[in-house]
Amino acid sequence: MVLRSEILVNKNVLPTKEQALPGRETPMVLPEKHFFFKDTPLLGPFFQDVDFAIFGLGCFWGAERRFWQREGVVSTVVGYAGGFTPNPTYEEVCSGLTGHAEVVLVVYDKAKVSYEELLAMFWELHNPTQGMRQGNDIGTQYRSVIYATSPEQLDAALKSKDVYQAELLKAGLGEISTEIDQAPTVYFAEAYHQQYLAKNPEGYCGIGGTGVCMPASLAAN
């Protein structure tokens, strides 16, 4: 008998739906409050006029911290998206047999920060040309992704990719491999992953960009 864990040896290759782990119906139990923002509810209700953005740019610990540090961001939640396995565990995602990327759900006050400004952060915070990795973090879970929560976000994300690609080429860097699509289901990660670097300030952070900046005209839109 061939075990599922033996099917996929190369973690840089996405599994098929048939290869993916079965998962479970029960979602993760999350804390009610955001650890860094203290009295802010993790998932609402929010008093501000908020919108939601979903980004994957490598290990979600460091990515989440950079977004909660941005003025106008009112909450952040880490999770898994873009794969097949419902409600996966972290260990299952790390196996390469769920197809998910590690992502950050960013809740932001539209009066204080725009989606275009968050897109500029996304592109500048990581290297979007690396395929199924980010730095020393290797595997499908670390791939670069933007999952749009509206048609307007999708259009903005695609336009920003073209602009940033031109800047990367000027710097002698390669083609963007970022997956850009309408948002799939986001399965929230275990409670200990939420705001991990607020709880463990000296913990691992793999965030590192290319040094190439998004043109100010687009980032300010």
Side-chain angles (χ1 to χ4, degrees), residues 104-119:
V104 183
L105 173 67
V106 181
V107 186
Y108 62 100
D109 183 341
K110 295 186 290 183
K112 294 183 177 179
V113 63
S114 68
Y115 184 63
E116 286 77 9
E117 289 173 313
L118 296 178
L119 283 170

Side-chain angles (χ1 to χ4, degrees), residues 131-157:
M132 300 299 184
R133 68 180 298 166
Q134 199 58 213
N136 293 325
D137 294 325
I138 299 173
T140 55
Q141 77 198 76
Y142 301 114
R143 68 189 187 273
S144 175
V145 303
I146 301 173
Y147 292 133
T149 62
S150 69
E152 293 76 18
Q153 282 194 3
L154 183 60
D155 183 60

Side-chain angles (χ1 to χ4, degrees), residues 1-213:
M1 180 178 70
V2 178
L3 299 176
R4 257 199 180 91
S5 59
E6 296 172 342
I7 293 174
L8 188 65
V9 176
N10 187 353
K11 291 185 181 180
N12 285 333
V13 177
L14 286 166
T16 65
K17 185 175 182 179
E18 291 70 31
Q19 291 172 329
L21 296 171
R24 58 203 50 79
E25 295 183 3
T26 307
M28 297 294 173
V29 177
L30 296 180
E32 292 185 4
K33 304 290 186 180
H34 194 282
F35 187 85
F36 180 79
F37 291 126
K38 303 303 182 186
D39 292 331
T40 300
L42 192 68
L43 293 170
F46 302 103
F47 295 105
Q48 303 93 332
D49 182 15
V50 300
D51 207 344
F52 301 85
I54 303 167
F55 302 112
L57 49 158
C59 175
F60 51 24
W61 292 347
E64 184 187 24
R65 178 166 63 180
R66 294 301 294 268
F67 280 110
W68 82 53
Q69 290 172 339
R70 177 70 190 231
E71 183 180 2
V73 171
V74 300
S75 188
T76 55
V77 191
V78 297
Y80 317 111
F84 300 107
T85 302
N87 299 299
T89 66
Y90 180 66
E91 290 73 19
E92 288 173 341
V93 172
C94 289
S95 75
L97 285 168
T98 72
H100 292 296
E102 293 188 16
V103 299
V104 183
L105 173 67
V106 181
V107 186
Y108 62 100
D109 183 341
K110 295 186 290 183
K112 294 183 177 179
V113 63
S114 68
Y115 184 63
E116 286 77 9
E117 289 173 313
L118 296 178
L119 283 170
M121 282 186 66
F122 166 81
W123 293 119
E124 293 174 2
L125 283 174
H126 76 304
N127 185 341
T129 71
Q130 292 192 309
M132 300 299 184
R133 68 180 298 166
Q134 199 58 213
N136 293 325
D137 294 325
I138 299 173
T140 55
Q141 77 198 76
Y142 301 114
R143 68 189 187 273
S144 175
V145 303
I146 301 173
Y147 292 133
T149 62
S150 69
E152 293 76 18
Q153 282 194 3
L154 183 60
D155 183 60
L158 291 169
K159 288 179 178 177
S160 73
K161 175 187 174 183
D162 291 341
V163 173
Y164 198 64
Q165 180 66 78
E167 298 303 307
L168 290 174
L169 292 176
K170 290 177 188 176
L173 297 174
E175 294 290 327
I176 288 174
S177 58
T178 303
E179 175 187 339
I180 302 177
D181 206 345
Q182 293 284 4
T185 300
V186 176
Y187 298 102
F188 298 126
E190 294 86 340
Y192 75 90
H193 285 300
Q194 306 300 332
Q195 299 85 61
Y196 182 87
L197 291 181
K199 304 168 187 173
N200 304 277
E202 302 304 316
Y204 171 75
C205 176
I207 285 293
T210 61
V212 176
C213 295

